[in-house]
Amino acid sequence: MTAIRTAIVGWGMSGACFHAPILADLPEFEIAAVVSARPEAVAADLPEVAVYPTVEALLAASDVELVVVASRNHEHFPQARAALAAGRHVVVEKPFVLSSREGLELDRLARAGGRMLAVYQVRRFDADVLTLARVIGEGAIGRPHTLVARYDRWRPQVRDRWRERPGPGAGILWDLGPHLVDRALGLLGVPLTVSARLATMRPGAGAVDHFHLVLGFEHATAVLHADCLTLGPGPSLEVHGDRGSFVNYGLDVQEALLRRRRGPADPAWGRENDALRARLTRLAEDGSIVEETVPTEPGAYQRFYLGVADAIRRGAASPVDAIAATRVVRVLETAEIADRDGRVVAYADPALEAAATAEEPDR
């Protein structure tokens, strides 16, 4: 396979830490360009890579095949739209966009142009999620009826950065919410209702730093929570079914490695601390209750980009398609309405569900 010439748009934490180390360790890709207003920062990490000041300059001068949009949340839509219009394949960091209307437009552009469009919901490849998938596949917990997923943080000081200032796409609902919502929808399907409590809890906070969402499904419920003032974290993921319960503490190790610019080639990649293994409580065949610690599947964020390579070079499906990511955005939109109005809100979006049934394009 010829390496896919790739551009990264944005050289902040997302582009430099969460995308570049993975791309650099996979022979399927070549980081050929970066879009950044800080060329000196890029040169310190990638001295041989061309740096462009804007997406427009990149698209006019570079022959890259794939554009990775890792910029500020409100910039995702216009930059992805420009790249698709220029005939490039596109990966967009989460949150995909800031409205379901924008998500549908990008999906339409990708389909019309026969381009690959994927959204970086990479926590589908967290160790606990992959372990849960194996446990469910083995029938150990039966039919899931309740999911509780959370990010408990202790960050009492408000930082002066765009994510914590007032503005579109700021706050932890749009930062951490996409991971938790994608987790719920991946397990339970399309929700029927959304209720939400959004708040600013820390003194001086300008953007949401606390959320509590409840999603109602036909036969299940998901409770999704995150805040910045929890010193003693609870379970990160709980799934209860009609034959057992899966409860996991702790977070995947891959993000910590990426923050140190270490990718899949590192020997520690994907390995888990044994103390963080999940507990499984299940019914045995004789009706007795069995409690056990289950082995952890290795985390595998690289599987996202290997899926991108397969989609571009072999015509496989996008590893995280635009419709799935737009459903996540729709939940976040609906949560804002539910919090504003103080009521349970129906999730339904006929235009989105109609698009979900559209035929996949030939590539």
Side-chain angles (χ1 to χ4, degrees):
M1 175 189 290
T2 304
I4 299 166
R5 287 175 55 78
T6 301
I8 300 175
V9 179
W11 201 247
M13 181 66 71
S14 178
C17 292
F18 297 157
H19 292 268
I22 297 177
L23 290 164
D25 279 356
L26 297 178
E28 290 83 358
F29 298 89
E30 173 195 353
I31 302 176
V34 171
V35 173
S36 176
R38 300 183 302 124
E40 69 286 351
V42 180
D45 294 319
L46 301 173
E48 305 300 321
V49 169
V51 182
Y52 297 87
T54 65
V55 171
E56 291 73 20
L58 166 79
L59 296 173
S62 174
D63 64 349
V64 295
E65 296 177 75
L66 173 65
V67 175
V68 176
V69 177
S71 51
R72 298 183 182 193
N73 293 348
H74 70 277
E75 297 172 322
H76 290 182
F77 173 67
Q79 292 175 345
R81 179 176 58 184
L84 288 169
R88 315 306 168 93
H89 303 288
V90 175
V91 166
V92 184
E93 178 60 89
K94 63 79 201 164
F96 180 27
V97 287
L98 299 184
S99 75
S100 52
R101 176 190 58 79
E102 292 175 342
L104 288 174
E105 181 172 342
L106 293 184
D107 178 65
R108 180 188 59 78
L109 282 173
R111 291 174 183 273
R115 298 294 89 186
M116 193 285 312
L117 174 60
V119 181
Y120 200 60
Q121 294 281 180
V122 76
R123 287 195 176 276
R124 292 184 178 191
F125 305 104
D126 272 355
D128 56 349
V129 174
L130 297 177
T131 304
L132 172 64
R134 187 194 72 225
V135 167
I136 290 176
E138 293 170 350
I141 66 171
R143 181 181 182 180
H145 58 73
T146 302
L147 176 146
V148 181
R150 58 198 291 156
Y151 284 111
D152 291 327
R153 287 178 165 181
W154 177 247
R155 296 185 181 179
Q157 302 302 319
V158 178
R159 296 171 58 188
D160 184 19
R161 57 178 188 156
W162 70 265
R163 292 185 187 277
E164 299 188 55
R165 302 187 204 110
I172 66 171
L173 178 68
W174 291 93
D175 182 22
L176 302 178
H179 294 312
L180 299 183
V181 173
D182 186 66
R183 190 160 297 180
L185 272 55
L187 178 66
L188 301 174
V190 179
L192 301 177
T193 60
V194 178
S195 62
R197 161 69 168 152
L198 312 180
T200 51
M201 295 291 191
R202 297 173 298 170
V208 169
D209 61 6
H210 171 107
F211 69 76
H212 191 87
L213 311 184
V214 179
L215 311 186
F217 299 81
E218 185 174 1
H219 298 292
T221 301
V223 178
L224 312 176
H225 178 89
D227 67 47
C228 298
L229 289 175
T230 297
L231 191 54
S236 57
L237 177 63
E238 302 174 48
V239 177
H240 305 281
D242 58 12
R243 290 193 59 81
S245 296
F246 173 97
V247 180
N248 186 86
Y249 285 82
L251 299 176
D252 189 282
V253 301
Q254 292 171 100
E255 179 175 334
L257 290 170
L258 289 171
R259 287 179 180 272
R260 291 149 56 193
R261 312 294 179 91
R262 294 163 65 182
D266 191 281
W269 184 259
R271 295 176 60 186
E272 293 298 314
N273 183 340
D274 285 349
L276 301 181
R277 286 185 175 180
R279 294 290 297 174
L280 175 64
T281 304
R282 61 180 176 83
L283 288 175
E285 291 299 325
D286 62 3
S288 62
I289 297 175
V290 177
E291 296 186 17
E292 57 189 331
T293 300
V294 296
T296 303
E297 291 291 319
Y301 289 176
Q302 71 274 17
R303 283 172 53 182
F304 173 87
Y305 269 117
L306 293 174
V308 168
D310 278 346
I312 292 174
R313 289 289 185 252
R314 301 185 179 92
S318 167
V320 180
D321 67 79
I323 293 300
T326 302
R327 284 193 176 115
V328 171
V329 171
R330 174 65 179 171
V331 170
L332 300 180
E333 288 180 303
T334 308
E336 291 183 327
I337 296 169
D339 175 71
R340 183 195 67 202
D341 295 349
R343 62 186 177 91
V344 177
V345 178
Y347 164 86
D349 187 331
L352 175 54
E353 297 314 310
T357 63
E359 183 178 352
E360 284 291 324
D362 294 329
R363 295 193 182 99

